[in-house]
Amino acid sequence: MARHGGRGWYGRVIAAAVGVTAVAAVTSVWSAQAGQSGGGPAAPGVSARPAAPKATPVSPSIVHASDGGAHAVNITIDDGPDPVWTPRVLELLRDNGVKATFCMVGPQAEAHPDLVRQVVAAGHRLCDHTVSHDTGMDHASESYQARQILDAERQITKASGGVRPMYYRAPGGAFTPYSRKLAASHGMRPLGWNVDSKDFERPGSEAIIATVKRELANGPTILFHDAGGDRSQTVAALRTLLPWLKEQGYSFGFPVR
């Protein structure tokens, strides 16, 4: 798997959620997806929720397969949420009846909890993409890796209203045996990809479309981005690719847990 972006290119993100308006909680959807409720103080006169159970450990092996079967694809969206591009991606997914997995950077989730909750309410899944998107973290200490993964997990879970990420994707594929086992022990299946759309490089929407079509035989999990810069080419490519995939007989699933 190719690496994306520079070392720590999200390290300067200021994790502040100023002026954002949280959408109404869709608790039944969140609970069904995550398998637990969030904590937090109860409002006056309302019984406190029970403490969230510990996440059930999952396999530490890197998953690529789709739970939709042999002729299904997994749409995965990295580096957000972003206030400009994530809503546009969500609109396209909704219009095409497609569910996706959003691999979120912790401070981005913390800064835009309304978008995290929109993602969950629409039936998509969450994935931990670390705190600072450090593509060299496989060369860092285990304590550093743990902070990157677990701090982002907490940020995403809090922003979502209590829904934990179901997957962990290392920035640029910088997995280590330690990081895979740590994520899996927290219920986050390590998530790879088979098709790199190269949209991060902004080669033009036609080039992105051609890359996906050419590499689709490699496997079901396709990598796109909704943050980290101007993602208009990604939006344009998805506008063409989602209907095209349906025309080819593909269904859409989630990565196997």
Side-chain angles (χ1 to χ4, degrees):
M1 295 183 289
R3 293 183 183 268
H4 294 274
R7 180 182 177 94
W9 62 279
Y10 258 114
R12 296 185 300 274
V13 173
I14 300 174
V18 179
V20 293
T21 303
V23 297
V26 188
T27 307
S28 60
V29 176
W30 300 342
S31 298
Q33 184 188 111
Q36 72 271 322
S37 301
V46 178
S47 299
R49 296 178 183 176
K54 291 184 67 175
T56 302
V58 293
S59 170
S61 64
I62 299 173
V63 65
H64 300 86
S66 177
D67 66 6
H71 207 58
V73 295
N74 304 321
I75 302 297
T76 65
I77 314 288
D78 282 21
D79 299 352
D82 179 272
V84 174
W85 304 110
T86 301
R88 299 186 190 186
V89 170
L90 284 172
E91 181 179 10
L92 281 173
L93 293 171
R94 183 197 66 213
D95 290 349
N96 287 276
V98 174
K99 305 303 180 186
T101 300
F102 283 77
C103 300
M104 296 185 175
V105 175
Q108 289 292 101
E110 193 170 57
H112 306 291
D114 56 327
L115 292 177
V116 181
R117 297 186 185 203
Q118 286 180 41
V119 166
V120 172
H124 306 295
R125 289 185 178 179
L126 302 177
C127 171
D128 180 332
H129 204 34
T130 77
V131 171
S132 61
H133 198 280
D134 182 353
T135 59
M137 65 181 287
D138 53 339
H139 300 296
S141 68
E142 290 184 353
S143 62
Y144 175 81
Q145 295 176 55
R147 288 194 303 273
Q148 286 285 314
I149 296 167
L150 300 184
D151 286 356
E153 180 195 21
R154 285 190 289 270
Q155 289 169 319
I156 295 166
T157 301
K158 181 179 179 181
S160 72
V163 178
R164 289 189 176 113
M166 299 180 73
Y167 308 92
Y168 163 63
R169 173 172 276 167
F175 289 102
T176 66
Y178 171 78
S179 68
R180 291 191 292 104
K181 290 177 183 178
L182 177 67
S185 72
H186 283 252
M188 298 182 289
R189 182 76 185 266
L191 174 59
W193 64 84
N194 306 105
V195 180
D196 183 352
S197 71
K198 303 291 186 183
D199 65 334
F200 191 87
E201 300 174 0
R202 286 181 279 184
S205 59
E206 292 303 318
I208 295 169
I209 292 166
T211 296
V212 171
K213 290 181 177 181
R214 183 177 63 250
E215 295 189 6
L216 196 53
N218 293 343
T221 301
I222 310 174
L223 171 63
F224 297 100
H225 294 82
D226 64 343
D230 183 342
R231 299 273 74 92
S232 58
Q233 294 179 8
T234 300
V235 171
L238 285 170
R239 187 174 292 115
T240 295
L241 282 168
L242 296 178
W244 179 84
L245 286 164
K246 287 183 176 181
E247 290 168 4
Q248 306 309 304
Y250 286 96
S251 60
F252 298 87
F254 291 113
V256 170
R257 288 264 295 161

